[in-house]
């Protein structure tokens, strides 16, 4: 009698593993760069940060999907959300392409809607847990990166690599904060939504598709931009990693400047 193999719901896709490999390759190039002025330094940091960001987007959405799966939503597996494949997301443009453009142009870790979940099938407490699982993934990545940089990246060696990794960590701090804002369409609002009245939810539902656009518009207001980035750098600095590390990483990533 043959025994069928145990099916694993979590199966990292070749696409995800390829992006991870690209991030590692970028890290290797940045690590071996002789000087911040070398072309290899800029290329390495660019690939490290961009591919690393896509990896963390996948982890963010996987956090939502896996938490929903554990709570009983089996559709997330059928939709391919547990494979960490960004091509399976409901809105690849909003989830990957648009945030990547904003990182490249302005160093903004923009959140994006990605996976479709049947939130209505869960109790409010579970809905909040599902909503907060994504930002929690960004927070965990930020803490891990900052601890590694603080322990191993402060001796002055391989600074190009550590600057790039610092900027990636900075983006994780920013993504955590942005996602927790109570703006319709973002995770912070989704966690708050079960506590709102039906009338309020209906009124705000029309703004969910525009939440990110409203957020971006506010970030282009000079006073808001200055206050926001000041707060993110303050949170980043709590780790003990110098702010200048992230600033240099941001500069190196945008190699066309």
């Amino acid at each position: 009698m043959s025994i069928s193999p145990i099916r694993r719901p979590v199966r990292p896709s070749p696409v995800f593993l390829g992006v991870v490999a690209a991030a590692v390759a970028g890290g290797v190039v940045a690590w071996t760069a002789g000087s911040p002025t070398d072309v290899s330094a800029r290329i390495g940091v660019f690939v490290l940060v961009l591919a690393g960001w896509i990896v963390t987007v996948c982890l963010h959405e996987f956090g939502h999907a896996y938490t929903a799966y554990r709570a009983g939503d089996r559709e997330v597996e059928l939709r391919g959300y547990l494979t960490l494949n960004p091509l399976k997301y409901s809105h690849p443009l909003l989830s990957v392409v648009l945030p990547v453009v904003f990182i490249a142009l302005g160093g903004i870790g923009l959140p994006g809607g990605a996976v479709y979940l049947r939130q209505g099938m869960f109790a409010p407490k579970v809905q909040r847990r599902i909503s907060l699982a994504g930002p929690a993934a960004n927070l965990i990545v930020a803490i891990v990166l900052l601890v590694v940089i603080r322990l191993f990246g402060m001796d002055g060696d391989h600074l190009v690599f550590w600057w790039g990794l610092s900027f990636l960590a900075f983006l994780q701090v920013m993504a955590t904060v942005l996602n927790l804002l109570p703006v319709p369409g973002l995770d912070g609002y989704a966690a708050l939504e079960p506590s709102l009245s039906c009338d309020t939810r209906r009124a705000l539902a029309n703004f969910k598709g525009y939440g990110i656009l409203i957020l971006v518009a506010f970030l282009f207001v000079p006073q808001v931009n200055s206050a926001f980035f000041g707060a993110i750098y303050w949170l980043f600095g709590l780790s003990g990693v110098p702010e200048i590390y992230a600033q240099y990483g941001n500069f190196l990533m945008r190699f066309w400047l």
Side-chain angles (χ1 to χ4, degrees), residues 93-176:
L93 177 64
L94 290 178
S95 304
V96 179
V97 178
L98 191 62
V100 162
V101 169
F102 272 85
I103 288 173
L105 295 180
I108 300 174
L110 190 69
V115 295
Y116 170 77
L117 302 174
R118 297 183 296 164
Q119 293 277 45
M121 69 179 289
F122 303 115
K125 182 179 179 180
V126 178
Q127 290 184 48
R128 281 189 282 271
R129 188 162 67 242
I130 293 171
S131 299
L132 296 176
N138 291 112
L139 179 60
I140 291 170
V141 172
I143 292 172
V144 170
L145 291 179
L146 289 170
V147 168
V148 170
I149 297 165
R150 187 71 178 84
L151 292 177
F152 305 106
M154 308 292 288
D155 59 3
D157 293 330
H158 305 287
L159 282 176
V160 168
F161 171 79
W162 295 116
W163 291 342
L165 206 64
S166 296
F167 182 50
L168 181 58
F170 175 83
L171 292 174
Q172 299 310 305
V173 176
M174 185 185 299
T176 302

Side-chain angles (χ1 to χ4, degrees), residues 43-63:
I43 293 176
V45 169
F46 179 82
V47 175
L48 168 63
V49 173
L50 218 58
W53 170 257
I54 297 174
V55 168
T56 60
V57 168
C58 295
L59 294 175
H60 175 107
E61 302 307 334
F62 175 79

